Coordinates of all heavy atoms in Angstrom, one line a residue:
M1 N 193.6 1.2 -3.3 CA 193.5 -0.2 -2.9 C 194.0 -0.2 -1.5 O 193.5 -1.0 -0.5 CB 194.3 -1.1 -3.8 CG 193.9 -2.5 -3.6 SD 192.2 -2.8 -4.1 CE 192.0 -4.4 -3.6
S2 N 194.9 0.6 -1.2 CA 195.6 0.5 0.2 C 194.7 0.9 1.3 O 194.7 0.3 2.4 CB 196.8 1.5 0.4 OG 197.9 1.2 -0.5
W3 N 193.8 1.7 1.0 CA 192.8 2.2 2.1 C 191.8 1.0 2.3 O 191.3 0.8 3.3 CB 192.0 3.4 1.7 CG 192.8 4.7 2.0 CD1 193.5 5.3 1.0 CD2 193.2 5.2 3.2 NE1 194.2 6.4 1.5 CE2 194.0 6.4 2.9 CE3 192.9 5.1 4.4 CZ2 194.5 7.2 3.9 CZ3 193.3 5.9 5.5 CH2 194.1 6.8 5.2
I4 N 191.4 0.3 1.3 CA 190.5 -0.9 1.3 C 191.2 -2.0 2.2 O 190.6 -2.6 3.0 CB 190.1 -1.4 0.0 CG1 189.2 -0.4 -0.8 CG2 189.4 -2.7 0.1 CD1 189.1 -0.6 -2.2
Y5 N 192.6 -2.2 1.9 CA 193.2 -3.2 2.7 C 193.2 -2.7 4.3 O 193.0 -3.5 5.0 CB 194.7 -3.3 2.2 CG 194.9 -3.9 1.0 CD1 196.0 -3.6 0.2 CD2 194.1 -4.9 0.5 CE1 196.2 -4.2 -1.1 CE2 194.3 -5.6 -0.7 CZ 195.4 -5.2 -1.5 OH 195.5 -5.7 -2.7
L6 N 193.4 -1.5 4.4 CA 193.5 -1.0 5.9 C 192.1 -1.1 6.5 O 192.2 -1.5 7.7 CB 193.9 0.4 5.7 CG 194.3 1.2 7.1 CD1 195.2 0.3 7.9 CD2 194.6 2.6 7.1
V7 N 191.1 -0.8 5.9 CA 189.8 -0.9 6.5 C 189.4 -2.4 6.8 O 189.1 -2.8 8.0 CB 188.8 -0.3 5.7 CG1 187.3 -0.7 6.3 CG2 188.9 1.1 5.6
I8 N 189.8 -3.3 5.9 CA 189.6 -4.7 6.2 C 190.4 -5.3 7.3 O 190.1 -6.1 8.2 CB 189.8 -5.6 4.9 CG1 188.7 -5.2 3.7 CG2 189.6 -7.1 5.1 CD1 189.0 -5.7 2.4
A9 N 191.7 -4.7 7.3 CA 192.6 -5.0 8.3 C 192.0 -4.7 9.7 O 192.2 -5.5 10.7 CB 194.0 -4.6 8.1
G10 N 191.4 -3.4 9.8 CA 190.8 -3.0 11.1 C 189.7 -3.8 11.4 O 189.6 -4.2 12.7
F11 N 188.9 -4.4 10.5 CA 187.8 -5.1 10.9 C 188.1 -6.5 11.3 O 187.6 -7.2 12.2 CB 186.7 -5.3 9.8 CG 185.9 -4.1 9.5 CD1 185.8 -3.5 8.2 CD2 185.3 -3.5 10.5 CE1 185.0 -2.4 8.1 CE2 184.4 -2.4 10.4 CZ 184.3 -1.9 9.0
L12 N 189.2 -7.0 10.8 CA 189.9 -8.3 11.2 C 190.5 -8.2 12.6 O 190.5 -9.0 13.3 CB 190.9 -8.8 10.1 CG 190.3 -9.3 8.9 CD1 191.4 -9.6 7.8 CD2 189.6 -10.6 9.2
E13 N 191.0 -6.9 12.9 CA 191.5 -6.7 14.3 C 190.3 -6.8 15.3 O 190.5 -7.5 16.4 CB 192.1 -5.4 14.4 CG 192.8 -5.1 15.8 CD 193.4 -3.8 16.0 OE1 193.3 -3.0 15.1 OE2 193.9 -3.6 17.0
V14 N 189.2 -6.4 14.9 CA 187.9 -6.5 15.8 C 187.7 -7.9 15.9 O 187.5 -8.4 17.1 CB 186.7 -5.8 15.3 CG1 185.5 -6.1 16.1 CG2 187.1 -4.3 15.1
A15 N 187.7 -8.8 14.8 CA 187.5 -10.2 15.0 C 188.5 -10.9 15.8 O 188.1 -11.8 16.5 CB 187.5 -10.8 13.4
W16 N 189.7 -10.5 15.6 CA 190.8 -11.4 16.4 C 190.6 -11.0 18.0 O 190.8 -11.8 18.7 CB 192.1 -11.4 15.8 CG 192.9 -10.2 15.9 CD1 193.3 -9.4 14.8 CD2 193.7 -9.6 16.9 NE1 194.2 -8.4 15.2 CE2 194.5 -8.4 16.6 CE3 193.9 -10.0 18.3 CZ2 195.2 -7.7 17.3 CZ3 194.6 -9.2 19.2 CH2 195.3 -8.1 18.6
A17 N 190.3 -9.6 18.1 CA 190.1 -9.4 19.6 C 189.0 -10.1 20.2 O 189.1 -10.5 21.3 CB 189.9 -7.8 19.7
A18 N 188.0 -10.3 19.4 CA 186.7 -11.0 19.9 C 187.1 -12.6 20.1 O 186.7 -13.1 21.1 CB 185.5 -10.7 19.0
G19 N 187.8 -13.0 19.2 CA 188.3 -14.4 19.2 C 189.1 -14.5 20.6 O 189.1 -15.6 21.2
L20 N 190.0 -13.5 20.7 CA 190.9 -13.7 21.9 C 190.1 -13.7 23.2 O 190.4 -14.4 24.1 CB 191.8 -12.4 21.9 CG 193.1 -12.5 22.8 CD1 193.9 -13.7 22.6 CD2 193.8 -11.1 22.8
K21 N 189.2 -12.9 23.3 CA 188.2 -12.9 24.4 C 187.5 -14.3 24.6 O 187.6 -14.8 25.7 CB 187.1 -11.9 24.4 CG 186.0 -11.8 25.3 CD 186.6 -11.3 26.7 CE 185.4 -11.2 27.6 NZ 186.0 -11.0 29.0
H22 N 187.0 -14.8 23.5 CA 186.4 -16.2 23.6 C 187.4 -17.3 23.7 O 186.9 -18.5 24.0 CB 185.5 -16.3 22.3 CG 184.3 -15.5 22.4 ND1 184.2 -14.3 21.9 CD2 183.1 -15.7 22.9 CE1 183.0 -13.7 22.1 NE2 182.4 -14.7 22.7
S23 N 188.7 -17.1 23.4 CA 189.6 -18.2 23.6 C 190.0 -18.5 24.9 O 190.5 -19.6 25.3 CB 190.9 -17.9 22.8 OG 191.8 -16.9 23.6
E24 N 189.5 -17.7 25.9 CA 189.8 -17.8 27.3 C 191.2 -18.1 27.6 O 191.6 -19.2 28.1 CB 188.8 -18.9 28.0 CG 187.5 -18.5 27.9 CD 186.4 -19.5 28.3 OE1 186.9 -20.6 29.1 OE2 185.2 -19.4 28.2
G25 N 192.2 -17.2 27.1 CA 193.5 -17.3 27.4 C 194.1 -18.5 26.5 O 195.1 -19.2 27.0
F26 N 193.6 -18.7 25.3 CA 194.1 -19.7 24.4 C 193.9 -21.1 25.0 O 194.6 -22.0 24.8 CB 195.6 -19.6 24.0 CG 195.8 -18.3 23.0 CD1 196.4 -17.3 23.5 CD2 195.2 -18.3 21.8 CE1 196.6 -16.2 22.7 CE2 195.4 -17.3 20.9 CZ 196.1 -16.1 21.4
T27 N 192.8 -21.3 25.8 CA 192.5 -22.6 26.4 C 191.3 -23.3 25.6 O 191.2 -24.5 25.8 CB 192.2 -22.5 27.8 OG1 190.9 -21.6 28.0 CG2 193.3 -22.0 28.7
R28 N 190.7 -22.6 24.7 CA 189.8 -23.2 23.9 C 190.2 -23.1 22.4 O 190.6 -22.1 21.9 CB 188.5 -22.3 23.9 CG 187.9 -22.5 25.4 CD 186.6 -21.6 25.5 NE 185.6 -22.1 24.6 CZ 184.6 -21.3 24.0 NH1 184.6 -20.1 24.2 NH2 183.8 -21.8 23.2
L29 N 190.2 -24.4 21.8 CA 191.0 -24.6 20.5 C 190.3 -23.8 19.3 O 190.9 -23.0 18.7 CB 190.9 -26.1 20.1 CG 191.6 -26.4 18.8 CD1 193.2 -26.0 18.9 CD2 191.5 -27.9 18.5
G30 N 188.9 -23.9 19.1 CA 188.2 -23.2 18.1 C 188.5 -21.7 18.0 O 189.1 -21.2 17.1
P31 N 188.2 -21.0 19.2 CA 188.5 -19.5 19.2 C 189.9 -19.3 19.1 O 190.3 -18.2 18.5 CB 187.9 -19.1 20.6 CG 186.9 -20.1 20.9 CD 187.4 -21.4 20.3
S32 N 190.8 -20.0 19.5 CA 192.3 -19.8 19.5 C 192.7 -19.9 18.1 O 193.5 -19.0 17.6 CB 193.1 -20.9 20.4 OG 192.7 -20.7 21.7
I33 N 192.3 -20.9 17.2 CA 192.6 -20.9 15.9 C 192.0 -19.7 15.1 O 192.8 -19.1 14.4 CB 192.1 -22.3 15.3 CG1 192.9 -23.4 15.9 CG2 192.2 -22.2 13.8 CD1 192.3 -24.7 15.5
F34 N 190.8 -19.3 15.4 CA 190.2 -18.2 14.7 C 191.0 -17.0 15.1 O 191.2 -16.1 14.1 CB 188.7 -18.0 15.3 CG 188.0 -16.8 14.8 CD1 187.5 -16.8 13.6 CD2 188.0 -15.7 15.5 CE1 186.8 -15.7 13.1 CE2 187.3 -14.5 15.1 CZ 186.7 -14.5 13.8
T35 N 191.5 -16.8 16.3 CA 192.2 -15.5 16.7 C 193.5 -15.4 15.8 O 193.9 -14.5 15.3 CB 192.5 -15.7 18.1 OG1 191.2 -15.6 18.9 CG2 193.3 -14.5 18.6
V36 N 194.2 -16.6 15.9 CA 195.5 -16.7 15.1 C 195.3 -16.4 13.6 O 196.1 -15.6 13.1 CB 196.3 -18.0 15.4 CG1 197.5 -18.1 14.5 CG2 196.6 -18.0 16.8
V37 N 194.3 -17.0 13.0 CA 194.0 -16.8 11.6 C 193.7 -15.4 11.2 O 194.2 -14.8 10.4 CB 193.0 -17.8 11.1 CG1 192.6 -17.4 9.6 CG2 193.6 -19.3 11.1
T38 N 192.7 -14.8 12.1 CA 192.4 -13.4 11.8 C 193.4 -12.5 12.2 O 193.6 -11.5 11.4 CB 191.1 -13.2 12.5 OG1 191.1 -13.4 14.0 CG2 189.9 -13.9 11.9
A39 N 194.2 -12.7 13.2 CA 195.3 -11.8 13.5 C 196.3 -11.8 12.4 O 196.8 -10.7 12.0 CB 195.9 -12.2 14.7
T40 N 196.6 -13.0 11.9 CA 197.7 -13.0 10.8 C 197.1 -12.3 9.5 O 197.9 -11.5 8.8 CB 197.9 -14.6 10.5 OG1 198.4 -15.2 11.7 CG2 199.0 -14.7 9.3
A41 N 195.8 -12.6 9.2 CA 195.3 -11.8 8.0 C 195.3 -10.3 8.2 O 195.5 -9.6 7.3 CB 193.9 -12.3 7.7
S42 N 194.9 -9.9 9.5 CA 194.9 -8.5 9.8 C 196.3 -7.8 9.6 O 196.5 -6.8 9.0 CB 194.5 -8.3 11.2 OG 194.3 -6.9 11.6
F43 N 197.4 -8.5 10.2 CA 198.7 -8.0 10.1 C 199.1 -8.0 8.6 O 199.8 -7.0 8.2 CB 199.7 -8.8 10.9 CG 199.6 -8.5 12.3 CD1 199.2 -9.5 13.2 CD2 200.0 -7.3 12.9 CE1 199.2 -9.2 14.7 CE2 199.9 -7.1 14.2 CZ 199.5 -8.0 15.1
G44 N 198.8 -9.1 7.9 CA 199.2 -9.1 6.5 C 198.5 -8.0 5.7 O 199.3 -7.3 4.8
L45 N 197.3 -7.6 5.9 CA 196.7 -6.6 5.2 C 197.2 -5.3 5.6 O 197.3 -4.3 4.8 CB 195.2 -6.6 5.3 CG 194.5 -7.7 4.4 CD1 193.0 -7.9 4.8 CD2 194.6 -7.7 3.0
L46 N 197.5 -5.0 6.9 CA 198.2 -3.9 7.4 C 199.5 -3.6 6.7 O 199.8 -2.5 6.2 CB 198.2 -3.9 8.9 CG 199.0 -2.8 9.4 CD1 198.3 -1.4 9.2 CD2 199.3 -2.9 11.0
A47 N 200.2 -4.7 6.5 CA 201.5 -4.5 5.9 C 201.4 -4.1 4.4 O 202.1 -3.3 3.9 CB 202.2 -5.9 5.9
L48 N 200.4 -4.7 3.7 CA 200.0 -4.3 2.4 C 199.7 -2.9 2.2 O 200.2 -2.1 1.4 CB 198.9 -5.1 1.7 CG 199.4 -6.6 1.4 CD1 198.2 -7.4 1.0 CD2 200.5 -6.7 0.3
A49 N 198.8 -2.5 3.1 CA 198.4 -0.9 3.2 C 199.6 -0.1 3.5 O 199.6 1.1 2.8 CB 197.4 -0.8 4.3
M50 N 200.5 -0.5 4.3 CA 201.7 0.4 4.7 C 202.7 0.5 3.5 O 203.6 1.4 3.7 CB 202.3 0.0 6.0 CG 201.7 0.1 7.1 SD 202.6 -0.4 8.6 CE 201.7 0.3 9.9
K51 N 202.6 -0.3 2.5 CA 203.5 -0.1 1.4 C 203.2 1.2 0.7 O 204.1 1.8 0.1 CB 203.2 -1.3 0.2 CG 203.7 -2.6 0.8 CD 203.3 -3.6 -0.1 CE 204.1 -3.5 -1.5 NZ 203.9 -4.7 -2.3
H52 N 202.0 1.8 0.8 CA 201.7 3.1 0.2 C 201.1 4.2 1.1 O 200.9 5.2 0.7 CB 200.6 2.9 -0.9 CG 201.1 1.8 -2.0 ND1 202.1 2.2 -2.9 CD2 200.8 0.5 -2.2 CE1 202.3 1.2 -3.7 NE2 201.6 0.2 -3.2
L53 N 200.8 3.8 2.4 CA 200.3 4.9 3.3 C 201.4 5.1 4.4 O 202.3 4.2 4.7 CB 199.0 4.4 4.0 CG 197.9 4.0 3.0 CD1 196.7 3.4 3.9 CD2 197.4 5.3 2.4
P54 N 201.4 6.3 4.9 CA 202.3 6.6 5.9 C 202.1 5.8 7.2 O 201.0 5.4 7.5 CB 202.0 8.1 6.2 CG 201.3 8.6 5.1 CD 200.5 7.4 4.5
L55 N 203.3 5.4 7.9 CA 203.2 4.5 9.0 C 202.1 5.1 10.0 O 201.3 4.4 10.6 CB 204.6 4.4 9.6 CG 204.7 3.8 11.0 CD1 204.4 2.3 10.9 CD2 206.1 4.1 11.6
G56 N 202.4 6.3 10.5 CA 201.6 6.8 11.6 C 200.0 6.9 11.2 O 199.2 6.5 12.0
T57 N 199.7 7.2 10.0 CA 198.3 7.2 9.6 C 197.7 5.8 9.5 O 196.7 5.5 10.1 CB 198.2 7.9 8.2 OG1 198.7 9.2 8.2 CG2 196.8 7.9 7.8
A58 N 198.5 4.9 8.8 CA 198.0 3.4 8.7 C 197.7 2.9 10.1 O 196.7 2.3 10.4 CB 198.9 2.7 7.8
Y59 N 198.8 3.0 11.0 CA 198.8 2.3 12.3 C 197.6 2.9 13.1 O 196.8 2.1 13.7 CB 200.1 2.4 13.0 CG 200.1 1.5 14.1 CD1 200.3 0.1 14.1 CD2 200.1 2.0 15.5 CE1 200.3 -0.7 15.2 CE2 200.0 1.3 16.6 CZ 200.1 -0.1 16.4 OH 200.2 -0.9 17.5
A60 N 197.5 4.2 13.1 CA 196.6 4.8 14.0 C 195.0 4.4 13.5 O 194.2 4.2 14.4 CB 196.7 6.3 14.0
I61 N 194.9 4.5 12.2 CA 193.5 4.1 11.7 C 193.3 2.6 11.9 O 192.1 2.2 12.5 CB 193.4 4.4 10.2 CG1 193.3 6.0 10.2 CG2 192.2 3.8 9.7 CD1 193.3 6.5 8.7
W62 N 194.3 1.8 11.8 CA 194.1 0.3 12.1 C 193.7 0.1 13.6 O 192.7 -0.6 13.8 CB 195.4 -0.5 11.8 CG 195.4 -1.8 12.0 CD1 194.7 -2.8 11.3 CD2 196.2 -2.6 12.9 NE1 195.0 -4.1 11.7 CE2 195.8 -3.9 12.8 CE3 197.2 -2.1 13.9 CZ2 196.5 -4.9 13.5 CZ3 197.7 -3.1 14.7 CH2 197.4 -4.5 14.5
T63 N 194.5 0.6 14.5 CA 194.2 0.5 15.9 C 192.9 1.2 16.2 O 192.1 0.6 17.1 CB 195.3 1.1 16.7 OG1 195.6 2.4 16.5 CG2 196.6 0.2 16.5
G64 N 192.6 2.3 15.6 CA 191.4 3.0 16.0 C 190.2 2.1 15.6 O 189.2 2.1 16.3
I65 N 190.2 1.6 14.3 CA 189.1 0.8 13.9 C 188.8 -0.4 14.8 O 187.8 -0.8 15.3 CB 189.3 0.2 12.5 CG1 189.1 1.4 11.5 CG2 188.2 -0.8 12.1 CD1 189.5 1.0 10.0
G66 N 190.1 -1.1 15.2 CA 190.0 -2.1 16.1 C 189.4 -1.7 17.5 O 188.7 -2.5 18.0
A67 N 189.9 -0.6 18.0 CA 189.4 -0.1 19.4 C 188.0 0.1 19.4 O 187.2 -0.3 20.3 CB 190.2 1.0 19.8
V68 N 187.5 1.0 18.3 CA 186.1 1.3 18.4 C 185.3 0.0 18.1 O 184.1 -0.1 18.7 CB 185.8 2.5 17.4 CG1 184.4 2.8 17.3 CG2 186.5 3.8 17.9
G69 N 185.7 -0.7 17.2 CA 185.0 -1.8 16.6 C 184.9 -2.8 17.9 O 183.8 -3.4 18.2
A70 N 185.9 -3.0 18.7 CA 185.9 -4.0 19.8 C 185.0 -3.3 20.9 O 184.2 -4.1 21.6 CB 187.3 -4.2 20.5
F71 N 185.0 -2.1 21.0 CA 184.0 -1.4 22.0 C 182.7 -1.6 21.7 O 181.9 -2.1 22.5 CB 184.5 0.1 22.0 CG 183.5 1.0 22.7 CD1 183.3 1.2 24.0 CD2 182.7 1.9 21.9 CE1 182.4 1.9 24.6 CE2 181.5 2.6 22.5 CZ 181.5 2.7 23.9
I72 N 182.3 -1.5 20.4 CA 180.9 -1.7 19.8 C 180.5 -3.1 20.1 O 179.5 -3.5 20.5 CB 180.7 -1.2 18.5 CG1 180.9 0.3 18.4 CG2 179.4 -1.8 17.9 CD1 180.9 0.9 17.0
F73 N 181.5 -4.1 19.7 CA 181.2 -5.5 19.8 C 181.0 -5.8 21.2 O 180.1 -6.6 21.6 CB 182.4 -6.2 19.3 CG 182.2 -7.8 19.3 CD1 181.7 -8.5 18.3 CD2 182.6 -8.5 20.5 CE1 181.5 -9.8 18.3 CE2 182.4 -9.9 20.5 CZ 181.8 -10.5 19.4
G74 N 181.9 -5.3 22.2 CA 181.5 -5.7 23.7 C 180.2 -5.2 24.0 O 179.5 -5.9 24.9
I75 N 179.8 -4.0 23.6 CA 178.5 -3.5 24.1 C 177.4 -4.4 23.4 O 176.5 -4.9 24.3 CB 178.3 -2.0 23.7 CG1 179.2 -1.1 24.5 CG2 176.7 -1.7 23.9 CD1 179.3 0.2 24.1
I76 N 177.3 -4.6 22.3 CA 176.3 -5.4 21.6 C 176.3 -6.9 21.9 O 175.2 -7.4 22.2 CB 176.4 -5.2 20.1 CG1 176.1 -3.8 19.6 CG2 175.4 -6.1 19.3 CD1 176.3 -3.4 18.3
Y77 N 177.3 -7.4 21.8 CA 177.4 -9.0 22.0 C 177.8 -9.5 23.4 O 177.5 -10.6 23.7 CB 178.3 -9.6 21.0 CG 177.8 -9.4 19.5 CD1 178.4 -8.5 18.8 CD2 176.7 -10.1 19.1 CE1 177.9 -8.4 17.5 CE2 176.2 -9.8 17.9 CZ 176.8 -8.9 17.0 OH 176.2 -8.7 15.7
L78 N 178.6 -8.6 24.2 CA 178.9 -9.2 25.4 C 178.3 -8.5 26.7 O 178.6 -8.7 27.8 CB 180.5 -9.0 25.6 CG 181.3 -9.6 24.5 CD1 182.8 -9.3 24.6 CD2 181.1 -11.2 24.5
G79 N 177.4 -7.5 26.3 CA 176.7 -6.9 27.4 C 177.5 -5.9 28.2 O 177.2 -5.7 29.5
E80 N 178.6 -5.4 27.7 CA 179.4 -4.4 28.4 C 178.7 -3.2 28.6 O 177.7 -2.8 28.1 CB 180.8 -4.2 27.7 CG 181.6 -5.5 27.6 CD 183.0 -5.4 26.9 OE1 183.2 -4.3 26.3 OE2 183.6 -6.3 26.9
A81 N 179.2 -2.5 29.7 CA 178.5 -1.2 30.2 C 178.5 -0.2 29.1 O 179.4 0.1 28.3 CB 179.2 -0.6 31.3
V82 N 177.4 0.5 29.0 CA 177.2 1.6 28.2 C 177.0 3.0 29.0 O 176.2 3.0 29.9 CB 175.9 1.5 27.2 CG1 175.8 2.7 26.2 CG2 176.0 0.3 26.4
S83 N 177.8 3.9 28.7 CA 177.6 5.2 29.3 C 178.0 6.3 28.4 O 178.6 6.1 27.4 CB 178.6 5.4 30.5 OG 179.9 5.5 30.3
W84 N 177.4 7.5 28.7 CA 177.6 8.6 27.8 C 179.1 9.0 27.7 O 179.5 9.3 26.6 CB 176.8 9.9 28.2 CG 175.3 9.7 27.8 CD1 174.3 9.5 28.8 CD2 174.8 9.7 26.6 NE1 173.1 9.3 28.1 CE2 173.3 9.3 26.9 CE3 175.3 9.8 25.4 CZ2 172.6 9.3 25.7 CZ3 174.4 9.7 24.1 CH2 173.0 9.5 24.4
M85 N 179.8 8.8 28.7 CA 181.2 9.2 28.7 C 182.1 8.1 27.8 O 182.9 8.4 27.1 CB 181.8 9.0 30.1 CG 183.3 9.5 30.2 SD 183.6 11.1 29.6 CE 183.4 12.0 31.1
R86 N 181.6 6.8 27.9 CA 182.3 5.9 27.0 C 182.0 6.1 25.6 O 182.8 6.0 24.7 CB 181.9 4.3 27.3 CG 182.3 4.0 28.8 CD 182.0 2.5 29.1 NE 183.0 1.8 28.5 CZ 182.8 0.4 27.9 NH1 181.6 0.0 28.0 NH2 183.7 -0.1 27.2
I87 N 180.7 6.4 25.4 CA 180.3 6.7 23.9 C 181.0 7.9 23.3 O 181.5 8.0 22.2 CB 178.8 6.8 23.8 CG1 178.2 5.4 24.1 CG2 178.4 7.3 22.4 CD1 176.6 5.4 24.2
A88 N 181.1 9.0 24.2 CA 181.7 10.3 23.8 C 183.2 10.0 23.5 O 183.8 10.4 22.6 CB 181.6 11.3 24.8
S89 N 183.9 9.1 24.4 CA 185.4 8.8 24.1 C 185.5 8.1 22.9 O 186.4 8.4 22.1 CB 185.7 8.0 25.4 OG 185.7 8.8 26.6
A90 N 184.8 7.1 22.6 CA 184.8 6.4 21.3 C 184.5 7.3 20.1 O 185.2 7.3 19.1 CB 183.8 5.2 21.4
G91 N 183.6 8.2 20.3 CA 183.4 9.3 19.3 C 184.6 10.1 19.1 O 184.9 10.4 17.8
C92 N 185.3 10.5 20.1 CA 186.5 11.3 19.8 C 187.6 10.5 19.1 O 188.2 11.1 18.2 CB 187.1 11.5 21.1 SG 186.3 12.8 22.1
V93 N 187.6 9.1 19.3 CA 188.6 8.3 18.4 C 188.1 8.3 17.0 O 188.9 8.5 16.1 CB 188.5 6.9 19.0 CG1 189.4 6.0 18.1 CG2 189.2 6.8 20.3
V94 N 186.8 8.1 16.7 CA 186.3 8.2 15.3 C 186.7 9.6 14.7 O 187.0 9.6 13.5 CB 184.7 8.0 15.4 CG1 184.2 8.1 13.9 CG2 184.5 6.5 15.9
I95 N 186.4 10.6 15.5 CA 186.7 12.0 14.9 C 188.3 12.1 14.6 O 188.6 12.6 13.5 CB 186.3 13.1 15.9 CG1 184.7 13.2 15.9 CG2 187.0 14.5 15.5 CD1 184.2 14.1 17.1
G96 N 189.0 11.6 15.4 CA 190.5 11.5 15.1 C 190.9 10.7 13.9 O 191.6 11.1 13.1
L97 N 190.1 9.6 13.7 CA 190.3 8.7 12.5 C 189.9 9.5 11.2 O 190.7 9.4 10.2 CB 189.6 7.4 12.7 CG 189.9 6.4 13.8 CD1 189.1 5.3 13.7 CD2 191.4 6.1 13.7
I98 N 188.8 10.2 11.2 CA 188.4 10.9 10.2 C 189.3 12.0 9.8 O 189.6 12.3 8.6 CB 187.0 11.5 10.4 CG1 185.9 10.5 10.5 CG2 186.5 12.5 9.3 CD1 184.4 10.8 11.0
G99 N 189.8 12.6 10.8 CA 190.8 13.8 10.6 C 192.1 13.2 10.0 O 192.7 13.8 9.1
L100 N 192.5 12.0 10.3 CA 193.6 11.4 9.9 C 193.5 11.1 8.3 O 194.3 11.4 7.4 CB 194.1 10.3 10.5 CG 194.9 10.4 11.9 CD1 195.0 9.1 12.7 CD2 196.2 11.0 11.7
K101 N 192.2 10.6 8.0 CA 192.0 10.2 6.6 C 191.9 11.4 5.7 O 192.5 11.5 4.7 CB 190.7 9.5 6.6 CG 190.1 9.3 5.2 CD 191.0 8.6 4.2 CE 190.3 8.2 3.0 NZ 191.0 8.8 1.8
L102 N 191.2 12.5 6.2 CA 191.1 13.7 5.5 C 192.4 14.5 5.3 O 192.5 15.2 4.3 CB 190.1 14.7 6.1 CG 188.6 14.1 6.2 CD1 187.7 15.0 7.0 CD2 188.1 13.9 4.8
S103 N 193.3 14.3 6.3 CA 194.6 15.1 6.2 C 195.7 14.2 5.4 O 196.7 14.8 5.1 CB 195.2 15.4 7.5 OG 195.3 14.2 8.2
S104 N 195.4 13.0 5.1 CA 196.2 12.1 4.3 C 196.4 12.6 2.8 O 195.4 12.9 2.3 CB 195.9 10.7 4.4 OG 196.8 9.9 3.7
V105 N 197.6 12.7 2.4 CA 197.9 12.9 0.9 C 197.8 11.8 0.1 O 197.9 11.9 -1.2 CB 199.1 13.7 0.8 CG1 199.3 15.1 1.5 CG2 200.3 12.8 1.3
H106 N 197.6 10.6 0.6 CA 197.5 9.4 -0.2 C 196.0 8.9 -0.5 O 195.2 8.8 0.4 CB 198.2 8.2 0.6 CG 199.7 8.6 0.6 ND1 200.3 9.2 1.6 CD2 200.7 8.0 -0.3 CE1 201.6 9.3 1.4 NE2 201.8 8.6 0.2

């Protein structure tokens, strides 16, 4: 169950990062509330996952899902630049996340 919590927490990290971008520095109420709610839920699920997973593994996977997810969100929904170097770099993060999962004893 801890891994499920962790993956959901990672997706919620993507959601709050997107909300943060749309909140325009917390000057827009709706996106600001969305950001606070999703960030709180993400932290809460991360905390639950960390009850049974090692700190380094859980935190790295949480931030990795958030980073790669935000990268993909930015390209698809915000029209951010796409280059082979950016894609290869994100791919390296994904490979690292897979390595952490496969090497975890939990």
